[in-house]
Amino acid sequence: MSAAVDQGRAHYTDRVVNLLITNISRDPVLVTSATLHSALYEGAADWKPTRTGGTRVAAGSTVSLPAELPPAQCSAGQQAEAATHRITVTMDSERSGLSTVEVRASDPHNVLSRNHSEDCLAQAAASVAELRIDQTLKVLPGSGSAVVGIAVEPSGGKDSMVIESFGTTTLLDEDGKHAWPRDLRVHGTDPASRLNLHIVPMRCDQHALAEDKLGTRIPVSIAAGRWHGVLRLNAGHEFDRAVYSFITEACAAAGQTG
């Protein structure tokens, strides 16, 4: 066996990674369990078989097994880039029977270090305040724009963070007439407040809506404690539907649907 870790775009916001198990032997094997171990995380990430008995991997083939990451170990002194990762695989074959092996897992796209940094940034930010997107949009009649409301709910703690900027997505752009908030320092003891993002469609082709994965996840650049990076705010399906409806109607009104 050889092993690697990767992540598809559809799983960027749900903390699910793919355990890539390659059968480098001459015989097919039945993989019954696979577990990822990393110093970056507390506990292990287990693949949970959807079929009784496991999954068959032909000789020379690779199978992708989804596993949800456990909580990040943010107090670890080890640098994320230097951490080692291992995957334990239990398998059954006609030649050798049932066996368990542990192999070093490569991470060519730095999936685990990226998720670790995002998880720790999210923890540091949450210790200061929660950022929560309104489920509905305030559509401004006749303007082709709408307003995304974001509630800022401080935790009451002693820490602070800086909301440096909000980013565009494949679907949403900044309304040039109303600049988005930038460089806002938030203290855990601040009163609750609200931010408004005036948005316009980034693009109007129907393919963008049909294939959307991250277009409604608004990125925000944050510095909190020793962590700095970008978090994607996920408001949920109701907000997604409101965005899709707004883009469809705004593009149709501008005669730009296609």
Side-chain angles (χ1 to χ4, degrees):
M1 286 288 164
S2 66
V5 183
D6 209 342
Q7 187 174 42
R9 289 182 66 244
H11 291 309
Y12 275 11
T13 58
D14 60 12
R15 306 183 68 259
V16 171
V17 296
N18 296 321
L19 311 184
L20 306 180
I21 309 299
T22 300
N23 178 8
I24 58 176
S25 74
R26 296 175 297 171
D27 304 309
V29 298
L30 186 69
V31 174
T32 59
S33 70
T35 302
L36 169 69
H37 306 271
S38 173
L40 300 179
Y41 288 91
E42 300 175 359
D46 294 313
W47 164 62
K48 294 179 173 55
T50 57
R51 295 178 296 181
T52 302
T55 186
R56 186 179 184 275
V57 187
S61 297
T62 300
V63 65
S64 178
L65 308 176
E68 184 176 352
L69 292 171
Q73 177 60 268
C74 297
S75 60
Q78 188 176 22
Q79 292 294 321
E81 293 77 8
T84 58
H85 323 294
R86 306 190 72 82
I87 294 179
T88 302
V89 182
T90 299
M91 56 190 171
D92 196 3
S93 70
E94 291 185 3
R95 186 186 298 267
S96 58
L98 190 66
S99 61
T100 299
V101 297
E102 184 178 79
V103 295
R104 184 165 180 164
S106 64
D107 185 6
H109 300 122
N110 295 318
V111 163
L112 294 176
S113 61
R114 174 174 54 78
N115 276 271
H116 177 263
S117 295
E118 291 175 359
D119 287 348
C120 293
L121 174 61
Q123 288 183 27
S127 71
V128 177
E130 177 187 6
L131 302 181
R132 189 175 63 256
I133 297 179
D134 290 347
Q135 291 294 293
T136 57
L137 292 176
K138 180 182 178 182
V139 179
L140 304 179
S143 67
S145 65
V147 178
V148 177
I150 301 177
V152 181
E153 299 284 350
S155 65
K158 58 183 177 58
D159 296 327
S160 67
M161 66 179 179
V162 176
I163 300 175
E164 297 177 331
S165 63
F166 290 90
T168 61
T169 75
T170 55
L171 298 181
L172 304 177
D173 197 4
E174 181 178 19
D175 184 345
K177 299 177 182 178
H178 302 276
W180 289 351
R182 287 170 171 80
D183 298 321
L184 303 176
R185 180 167 289 279
V186 178
H187 297 271
T189 54
D190 287 344
S193 60
R194 295 184 63 78
L195 303 175
N196 290 324
L197 304 185
H198 289 252
I199 61 170
V200 294
M202 175 66 79
R203 51 197 294 188
C204 283
D205 57 291
Q206 290 300 310
H207 176 77
L209 291 177
E211 300 297 324
D212 177 58
K213 297 293 189 298
L214 298 174
T216 60
R217 307 322 195 240
I218 298 177
V220 52
S221 178
I222 290 176
R226 64 188 182 95
W227 301 100
H228 177 269
V230 175
L231 298 178
R232 289 185 178 271
L233 304 183
N234 183 3
H237 296 303
E238 187 175 339
F239 178 75
D240 294 349
R241 288 192 291 269
V243 168
Y244 298 152
S245 177
F246 159 68
I247 291 176
T248 300
E249 293 175 4
C251 290
Q256 297 181 18
T257 56

